[in-house]
């Protein structure tokens, strides 16, 4: 088995080994993956962050030795907080634009090392000290508000199926990334995320940061968002937006109708 890392701003992961195939997710800078097998110019990968599988083009793969992959996997990466910022490859004298939510493994506040390559970064990285302090003091409400401040960074970002970027993301990509900024891992799809956390019995008991899930006519969970409070939700529908919600589901004031039927609310924090 081979091992790789994303050293681009973002790499599309596709359903099939073709540029024309559906994009099912994205790998951001610094995220790791295993290469399962090849098919012509494509590699089947399993992402280390959430075990999601798909196809990436071989030209976008940066290979790692197994020892280096395991070293990086064991590190707690810094997570970038700028919408977009330049990262310098000091070894090759190049720069790479990295986006909100990218990973910097082993970042010491100035630089980090991937194999023999030195990278430097002068942008903002996530400071979760207030978040962790609030949790340690059992001040969950404060921790939840810090989480929701991060969610607002994506407000008005456009919808993109399979996206995890502030320049385009889907509903579960949004919730996954918001929690990643606080170093809490969620699985990739809304149906998978519904297995996280503890169920909230009534919407009147919902708190900021709770995950609300919605199903289709067949009962399949197809949508997820973050509760802002008992009456509002931030989610991706055309764009990242805030809408009203009640026990029936999401009510779009612009369209004057319910757009998503509420199935369940889960609490992560």
């Amino acid at each position: 088995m081979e091992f790789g890392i994303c050293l681009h701003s973002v790499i599309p992961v596709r359903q099939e080994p073709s540029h024309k195939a559906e994009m099912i997710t994205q790998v951001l800078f610094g995220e790791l993956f295993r290469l399962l097998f090849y098919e012509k110019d494509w590699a089947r990968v399993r992402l280390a962050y959430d075990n999601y599988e798909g196809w990436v083009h071989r030209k976008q793969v940066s290979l790692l030795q197994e020892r280096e992959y395991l070293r990086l996997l064991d590190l707690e990466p810094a997570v970038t907080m700028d919408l977009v910022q330049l990262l310098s490859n000091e070894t090759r004298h190049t720069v790479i634009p990295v986006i909100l939510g990218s990973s910097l493994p082993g970042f010491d506040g100035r630089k980090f090392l991937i194999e023999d390559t030195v990278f430097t970064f002068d942008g903002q990285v996530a400071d979760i000290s207030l978040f962790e302090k609030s949790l340690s003091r059992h001040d969950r409400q404060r921790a939840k508000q810090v989480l929701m401040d991060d969610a607002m960074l994506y407000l008005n970002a456009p919808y993109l199926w399979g996206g995890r970027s502030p320049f385009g993301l889907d509903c579960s990509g949004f919730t996954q990334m918001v929690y990643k900024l606080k170093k809490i891992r969620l699985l990739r799809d809304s149906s998978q995320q519904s297995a996280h956390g503890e169920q909230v019995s009534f919407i009147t008991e919902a708190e900021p940061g709770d995950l609300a899930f919605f199903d289709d006519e067949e009962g399949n969970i197809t949508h997820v968002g973050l509760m802002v409070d008992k009456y509002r939700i931030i989610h991706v529908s055309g764009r990242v937006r805030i809408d009203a919600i009640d026990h029936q589901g999401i009510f779009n004031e612009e369209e004057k109708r319910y757009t998503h039927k509420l199935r369940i609310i889960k609490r992560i924090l």
Side-chain angles (χ1 to χ4, degrees):
M1 181 177 292
E2 294 184 316
F3 307 88
I5 187 170
C6 175
L7 295 183
H8 298 280
S9 305
V10 59
I11 297 175
V13 181
R14 301 193 180 277
Q15 183 72 49
E16 303 293 340
S18 168
H19 287 299
K20 297 180 180 180
E22 171 188 16
M23 185 177 73
I24 55 174
T25 192
Q26 294 174 320
V27 194
L28 305 188
F29 183 93
E31 294 184 328
L32 298 160
F33 48 85
R34 293 174 180 255
L35 289 85
L36 306 178
F37 53 89
Y38 292 98
E39 184 171 317
K40 295 183 179 179
D41 292 332
W42 294 83
R44 179 79 176 181
V45 301
R46 179 183 298 132
L47 307 184
Y49 190 78
D50 54 20
N51 288 323
Y52 218 65
E53 291 189 16
W55 295 90
V56 300
H57 198 273
R58 293 179 70 161
K59 289 183 178 179
Q60 296 183 312
V61 172
S62 297
L63 293 176
L64 295 172
Q65 296 294 323
E66 181 175 7
R67 178 181 295 180
E68 179 68 355
Y69 174 85
L70 294 175
R71 182 187 76 85
L72 297 176
L73 190 65
D74 193 49
L75 296 173
E76 184 68 57
V79 181
T80 62
M81 292 297 294
D82 298 296
L83 180 65
V84 62
Q85 183 59 269
L86 293 178
L87 177 149
S88 296
N89 181 326
E90 300 293 343
T91 303
R92 295 188 178 181
H93 306 290
T94 59
V95 294
I96 305 166
V98 295
I99 57 178
L100 176 64
S102 299
S103 297
L104 310 180
F107 184 63
D108 65 4
R110 169 63 179 167
K111 66 182 185 303
F112 61 100
L113 184 70
I114 296 176
E115 291 194 325
D116 296 327
T117 303
V118 177
F119 295 91
T120 59
F121 184 71
D122 294 326
Q124 294 184 333
V125 296
D127 180 0
I128 65 169
S129 58
L130 177 59
F131 178 76
E132 292 179 332
K133 186 180 295 183
S134 298
L135 289 179
S136 67
R137 294 177 177 176
H138 304 290
D139 186 0
R140 290 172 52 253
Q141 298 306 315
R142 177 56 178 158
K144 287 171 179 285
Q145 187 54 57
V146 173
L147 178 80
M148 294 309 297
D149 289 344
D150 288 348
M152 298 304 168
L153 296 174
Y154 290 92
L155 197 61
N156 293 315
Y159 175 83
L160 176 65
W161 178 268
R164 297 173 68 230
S165 156
F167 300 105
L169 71 177
D170 60 24
C171 65
S172 54
F174 167 63
T175 50
Q176 185 187 59
M177 291 306 299
V178 170
Y179 272 91
K180 181 185 178 183
L181 298 181
K182 288 294 172 273
K183 300 187 178 181
I184 298 174
R185 294 196 185 199
L186 298 183
L187 294 176
R188 180 60 180 87
D189 293 339
S190 56
S191 58
Q192 296 173 321
Q193 291 178 8
S194 66
H196 290 286
E198 299 181 358
Q199 184 172 345
V200 176
S201 299
F202 304 100
I203 193 170
T204 52
E205 299 173 348
E207 297 179 356
D210 289 350
L211 296 174
F213 297 92
F214 307 83
D215 58 14
D216 59 18
E217 294 179 355
E218 287 74 40
N220 301 309
I221 291 176
T222 58
H223 192 66
V224 62
L226 289 166
M227 298 296 293
V228 178
D229 51 37
K230 300 174 184 178
Y231 311 105
R232 297 177 298 159
I233 184 170
I234 182 169
H235 68 126
V236 189
S237 182
R239 66 181 190 278
V240 179
R241 55 183 293 142
I242 297 175
D243 283 313
I245 185 172
D246 59 23
H247 67 281
Q248 294 185 63
I250 298 175
F251 186 80
N252 186 308
E253 292 285 353
E254 297 168 0
E255 300 179 12
K256 302 299 181 185
R257 67 181 183 93
Y258 285 94
T259 57
H260 300 81
K261 180 167 66 72
L262 181 63
R263 169 72 172 275
I264 193 173
I265 298 175
K266 301 294 285 290
R267 180 159 299 156
I268 306 300
L269 296 178

